[in-house]
Amino acid sequence: MTQIILENARIFDGVSEECPEGMAVLVEDGRIREVSDRPIRANEAQRIDVDGKTLMPGLIDMHVHSYFSDLDPRVLNDRDAPYRTAYAIRKLGHALDCGFTTVRDIGGGDYPLAAAIADGLIRAPRFFYAGKILSMTGGHVDYRTPNEKHHTHGYCSCASLNWAGVIADGVDECIKAAREELRRGAHCIKIVASGGVMSPSDPIWMNQFREDEIRAIVQECLERRTYVAAHCLTSESTRRSVEFGVRCVEHATLIDAETAAFVAERGAYVVPTMAVLFSLVEQGPEMGLPRDRMDGLRAVYEDSMAGLDRMRSAGVKVAFGTDLLAGFYTQQCREFELRREVFTPLELLRQATSVGAEILMQSGKLGCVQPDAHADLIVVDGDPLEDIGLLAADGRNLDLIMRGGEIIKNRLNQRRNE
């Protein structure tokens, strides 16, 4: 039985603005066993002096694509699984070093990658995944160009996107597609409910999937005691998705005030993704993005910060996500700097901890510092409630990173009980 005691800590618990000082946390076999304002007695425990710094839950990124090593998904398909896996190992390792102890892969992640992480073969955060993305024919994850004549019949993986998505048309195909991804271990189901800027044949304003198709997918997830997440850029796609039972909206970049109020009233969640948008607008041309894609990106970019402000004003439950593709994954922590223009440090800390845990249905287990929670913890050299920029430095201000009780990084003094 491995015991570690973190002493003399100032604790942010994932929710409260009040951060008690002089606290001690006992970690035992990967979980938090005790949180106390008094010294904890435990024979043979390894003791680590936090030195009054901020001990808080590990960060949660709710929107990653582990395999997305190129901006062109067709290039990804040609690279095949070994290349995509090598990229995922580097990307997930970087996330862990930045203090992200949990990620949700919301399109493309699969059971083999999850199993390799669980078995300790890959150095990575705790891993939740949505499996392959469900798209209708001509939807945002149908990457075939208009010139291609390939057709799919029934539920199958289209040859041009078989690493990340499936085509499903009609209620029966949608049900079968959802059931198949859930059978493969998906923790939730991701659908594309609006057009996007990175696909060739669907305008941003286009709503995708019919009401009966979305409701059928939602029902399959409810039976599995999980939920549906939907890619939505526009207000209309966001509203109809939430109305039809979608629990978590990804992006919602162009959301208006009325829709934000509707989402808040329904209790749905939104995962904005600012870092990818700003990075693509800045560096897209040099990365080879065609002009029409850049025009679409700029149109979305121009209203993105206003969308965040509308969500905040309406009281929408917002979580932290980045959606960084290709080589942009190194800008993961930039999301804090961008969001700080709208949200307070406390709001951002909640987004990156307890709100993410709520979406994952892991409240009390992740995103918190309390007994019986997973010992996924970081120690910040400074006060992130005063300066959220401390978390935007790629882990340089983190003196300790712990995932499941395993010490990933430690710059603090430690000793054994005498």
Side-chain angles (χ1 to χ4, degrees), residues 235 255-265 307 310-312 314-316:
S235 289
I255 194 169
D256 59 28
E258 182 181 355
T259 304
F262 176 78
V263 172
E265 178 188 351
R310 293 176 193 123
M311 293 181 221
R312 183 178 188 269
V316 174

Side-chain angles (χ1 to χ4, degrees), residues 213-363:
E213 293 172 320
I214 294 177
R215 288 191 183 277
I217 296 167
V218 167
Q219 186 60 39
E220 289 304 313
C221 287
L222 289 175
E223 296 293 348
R224 196 75 173 218
R225 299 182 181 178
T226 186
Y227 64 95
V228 175
H231 162 99
C232 301
L233 292 186
T234 65
S235 289
E236 186 177 3
S237 62
T238 298
R239 184 183 182 95
R240 69 192 295 269
S241 293
V242 172
E243 184 178 351
F244 301 159
V246 166
R247 181 169 175 264
C248 186
V249 174
E250 310 300 311
H251 315 300
T253 315
L254 302 176
I255 194 169
D256 59 28
E258 182 181 355
T259 304
F262 176 78
V263 172
E265 178 188 351
R266 290 296 184 96
Y269 298 85
V270 175
V271 183
T273 54
M274 308 304 294
V276 65
L277 185 58
F278 277 66
S279 299
L280 286 172
V281 167
E282 292 169 353
Q283 302 177 49
E286 64 188 71
M287 298 286 285
L289 282 182
R291 182 174 179 177
D292 60 334
R293 306 276 176 87
M294 288 304 305
D295 290 343
L297 278 168
R298 292 190 183 97
V300 175
Y301 163 83
E302 289 172 0
D303 199 40
S304 59
M305 296 303 289
L308 281 187
D309 191 57
R310 293 176 193 123
M311 293 181 221
R312 183 178 188 269
S313 297
V316 174
K317 293 185 287 189
V318 173
F320 186 98
T322 57
D323 193 25
L324 291 161
L325 315 174
F328 294 126
Y329 72 87
T330 58
Q331 300 186 45
Q332 189 173 23
C333 294
R334 186 186 186 190
E335 189 78 23
F336 287 108
E337 292 286 1
L338 294 171
R339 293 192 187 203
R340 74 188 302 179
E341 299 298 318
V342 175
F343 297 104
T344 67
L346 177 61
E347 290 168 336
L348 284 170
L349 288 173
R350 289 170 176 166
Q351 290 172 17
T353 56
S354 56
V355 178
E358 285 180 24
I359 299 175
L360 293 170
M361 300 178 172
Q362 293 288 311
S363 294

Side-chain angles (χ1 to χ4, degrees), residues 125-266:
R126 197 176 299 275
F127 190 74
F128 294 79
Y129 65 99
K132 293 183 179 180
I133 304 167
L134 274 57
S135 172
M136 66 180 216
T137 296
H140 177 50
V141 187
D142 186 344
Y143 293 115
R144 294 170 296 166
T145 65
N147 190 51
E148 290 182 71
K149 299 178 180 179
H150 177 77
H151 293 280
T152 61
H153 300 281
Y155 167 77
C156 69
S157 296
C158 174
S160 63
L161 60 141
N162 62 15
W163 69 277
V166 293
I167 301 291
D169 295 306
V171 169
D172 289 345
E173 288 187 6
C174 287
I175 290 173
K176 188 171 184 179
R179 288 175 177 173
E180 178 65 11
E181 293 312 306
L182 293 169
R183 181 192 71 80
R184 294 176 178 176
H187 298 95
C188 66
I189 294 295
K190 164 83 171 291
I191 66 172
V192 284
S194 82
V197 296
M198 300 298 286
S199 44
S201 60
D202 59 327
I204 291 173
W205 47 259
M206 177 185 176
N207 292 326
Q208 298 179 14
F209 282 121
R210 299 190 315 246
E211 177 179 352
D212 58 347
E213 293 172 320
I214 294 177
R215 288 191 183 277
I217 296 167
V218 167
Q219 186 60 39
E220 289 304 313
C221 287
L222 289 175
E223 296 293 348
R224 196 75 173 218
R225 299 182 181 178
T226 186
Y227 64 95
V228 175
H231 162 99
C232 301
L233 292 186
T234 65
S235 289
E236 186 177 3
S237 62
T238 298
R239 184 183 182 95
R240 69 192 295 269
S241 293
V242 172
E243 184 178 351
F244 301 159
V246 166
R247 181 169 175 264
C248 186
V249 174
E250 310 300 311
H251 315 300
T253 315
L254 302 176
I255 194 169
D256 59 28
E258 182 181 355
T259 304
F262 176 78
V263 172
E265 178 188 351
R266 290 296 184 96

